[in-house]
Amino acid sequence: MLILILRTVLLYFFVIMAVRIMGKRQLSEMQTTELVITLIIADIASIPMQNTSQPLLTGVIPILILISAEIIISIIMMKSSKIRNLICGKPEVLINDGNLCQNTLRALRLTTEDLCVQLRQLGVYNLNDVQFCIIEPNGKLSVQLKPEKRSPNCEQLSIAVQDTGIEAVIISDGELLKNSMKLCNVDKDWINQVLSKEGLSKDEVMIMTANRLKEYSIIRKV
Amino acid sequence: MNRFIIAVVMLLIAGIICGCEIFTVTAYSVDYKEDLDTVKRLMEEESYYDAYKLSEKTIESWQKAARHLDKYLYHDYIDDITVKMSALPVYAQNEDTQAVNAQVEEIKKQLTSLKESELPYMHNIL
């Protein structure tokens, strides 16, 4: 049993390391290869975890090979669009300049109902509002509305908007977040100043956000 | 580029481990087959005491080798050979040549199978 615990801990850290090495892409939208690799790694890691008569290396070696293959393939895909299209597929236009591409829908085995469901999830309720609709290699839809259906932006409305930069969390549960402080260009002295003005100590703050204009908001711990 | 280097290093590590495994399994397989053949020959020459001593020595060194082999191979396979090898000194003490011969042949077959199944032949891959 002790061996099971040790093996599980070792494989746990090994799989985390594997996913980290594969990079951030792995954690968000998965491409075909990434989905396959993730499923296989999960399966491979679980076998030597349970079966103590199997050497740990029989789980570790295939995972090492899979990560290497994934990294090398992703580098090759980055350099060659042909290989990228071959492995991941390419974006397909479903609505071209307001016209539904029925042949593409049939080829992708997508029904108009499937298309409408996905469009509704993107906030588009009328097919006629769409100028272009593209299905991306990860299966998600990208939609451009017809010009008359698009929301106007500040530039088009000639409204001047102050650039506040990003609103970032600089204290989370009493802990200073240095990366966020850099993002919104504030330092420790300014934070201490604000906190003393509010009559608070750092440990009493649940969340504090700020932006580049030094506008802030604080939520106290209860 | 950093990740590419990591990938190459991981491939190298995997390659080195595989190389070590094939080398270790082959070397142990050849060595123990020789020892077992000697035990068999000694039994046929009716040097029962020498056969007993050698089989004792063989099993002692096999137990040490098994620790290395356990890193690479299924522990059940190794344990099975250990169990079969443990019977050899008893058979030698009882001067039972036929039993020793049968046991030696069985262990040799298992050692050959261990070695052969790790080599990258087409029938192993498929």
Side-chain angles (χ1 to χ4, degrees):
Chain A
M1 200 58 88
L2 185 63
I3 290 169
L4 270 180
I5 296 170
L6 292 171
R7 279 176 166 230
T8 308
V9 171
L10 280 174
L11 283 166
Y12 169 73
F13 285 111
F14 187 70
V15 172
I16 287 181
M17 185 204 77
V19 175
R20 283 288 292 123
I21 288 174
M22 277 193 279
K24 285 192 171 60
R25 274 172 10 129
Q26 190 68 19
L27 302 172
S28 54
E29 296 301 334
M30 281 198 235
Q31 300 283 348
T32 321
T33 55
E34 292 160 347
L35 177 71
V36 171
I37 296 281
T38 310
L39 291 176
I40 299 177
I41 284 183
D43 204 36
I44 289 175
S46 69
I47 300 169
M49 212 184 266
Q50 298 162 32
N51 184 0
T52 50
S53 78
Q54 191 174 341
L56 202 62
L57 282 177
T58 58
V60 170
I61 298 282
I63 293 176
L64 280 182
I65 299 290
L66 285 171
I67 304 165
S68 309
E70 167 58 21
I71 292 170
I72 291 167
I73 288 284
S74 64
I75 290 169
I76 294 171
M77 285 197 301
M78 220 164 63
K79 307 266 182 205
S80 158
S81 61
K82 276 184 187 167
I83 292 176
R84 189 169 55 242
N85 289 344
L86 189 74
I87 293 175
C88 293
K90 53 180 194 242
E92 297 278 356
V93 180
L94 299 179
I95 298 174
N96 191 0
D97 213 4
N99 300 314
L100 190 66
C101 304
Q102 295 182 29
N103 288 339
T104 313
L105 276 177
R106 265 194 290 273
L108 295 171
R109 298 186 308 280
L110 262 177
T111 61
T112 43
E113 190 53 35
D114 293 331
L115 179 63
C116 289
V117 167
Q118 290 205 47
L119 284 174
R120 282 199 296 273
Q121 284 170 349
L122 293 170
V124 181
Y125 289 86
N126 191 344
L127 216 56
N128 294 324
D129 292 352
V130 180
Q131 186 180 20
F132 287 100
C133 175
I134 296 165
I135 185 160
E136 305 294 352
N138 62 8
K140 300 264 168 159
L141 290 187
S142 300
V143 174
Q144 186 174 38
L145 297 175
K146 288 178 178 166
E148 63 273 21
K149 299 290 175 182
R150 292 178 209 159
S151 310
N153 57 34
C154 295
E155 192 185 4
Q156 288 163 332
L157 296 171
S158 304
I159 299 171
V161 182
Q162 202 174 21
D163 181 12
T164 60
I166 192 166
E167 181 95 8
V169 177
I170 52 174
I171 298 180
S172 171
D173 205 3
E175 192 190 346
L176 280 174
L177 304 177
K178 285 184 183 160
N179 280 344
S180 308
M181 282 161 62
K182 263 188 218 162
L183 265 179
C184 55
N185 206 17
V186 297
D187 56 18
K188 218 172 165 181
D189 293 337
W190 179 80
I191 294 170
N192 287 335
Q193 233 175 0
V194 170
L195 289 177
S196 64
K197 197 174 89 186
E198 297 287 335
L200 289 168
S201 74
K202 198 178 70 178
D203 295 329
E204 289 171 301
V205 177
M206 184 64 204
I207 191 165
M208 177 175 176
T209 60
N211 61 27
R212 285 198 176 154
L213 298 178
K214 306 257 164 62
E215 293 165 341
Y216 63 89
S217 74
I218 296 173
I219 297 174
R220 294 176 65 149
K221 273 188 196 171
V222 284
Chain B
M1 203 57 194
N2 278 345
R3 285 215 161 86
F4 180 72
I5 293 165
I6 292 171
V8 172
V9 169
M10 285 194 301
L11 281 179
L12 280 177
I13 292 170
I16 289 167
I17 294 172
C18 291
C20 288
E21 186 225 12
I22 291 175
F23 175 77
T24 312
V25 175
T26 307
Y28 280 133
S29 167
V30 171
D31 285 353
Y32 284 97
K33 272 203 275 187
E34 279 172 12
D35 286 352
L36 291 167
D37 277 334
T38 314
V39 171
K40 196 175 151 188
R41 188 174 47 78
L42 288 170
M43 287 298 287
E44 278 160 2
E45 289 169 2
E46 298 184 354
S47 308
Y48 300 120
Y49 183 71
D50 291 341
Y52 165 73
K53 276 285 167 203
L54 183 60
S55 55
E56 281 270 278
K57 213 178 108 189
T58 307
I59 188 162
E60 214 172 278
S61 83
W62 170 258
Q63 274 166 341
K64 282 179 195 156
R67 281 180 220 151
H68 291 295
L69 291 170
D70 271 342
K71 284 181 225 156
Y72 305 114
L73 303 169
Y74 277 78
H75 304 180
D76 295 345
Y77 303 158
I78 309 295
D79 292 344
D80 199 29
I81 296 175
T82 310
V83 170
K84 282 185 181 143
M85 245 185 220
S86 311
L88 284 179
V90 182
Y91 291 143
Q93 238 176 352
N94 292 339
E95 301 179 2
D96 188 345
T97 309
Q98 275 187 333
V100 169
N101 285 355
Q103 199 78 344
V104 163
E105 286 307 317
E106 215 174 318
I107 300 169
K108 274 170 64 183
K109 279 243 161 64
Q110 279 182 301
L111 286 171
T112 309
S113 157
L114 275 191
K115 187 185 90 177
E116 298 278 312
S117 61
E118 294 304 316
L119 296 174
Y121 296 135
M122 191 51 83
H123 60 267
N124 284 336
I125 296 168
L126 297 176

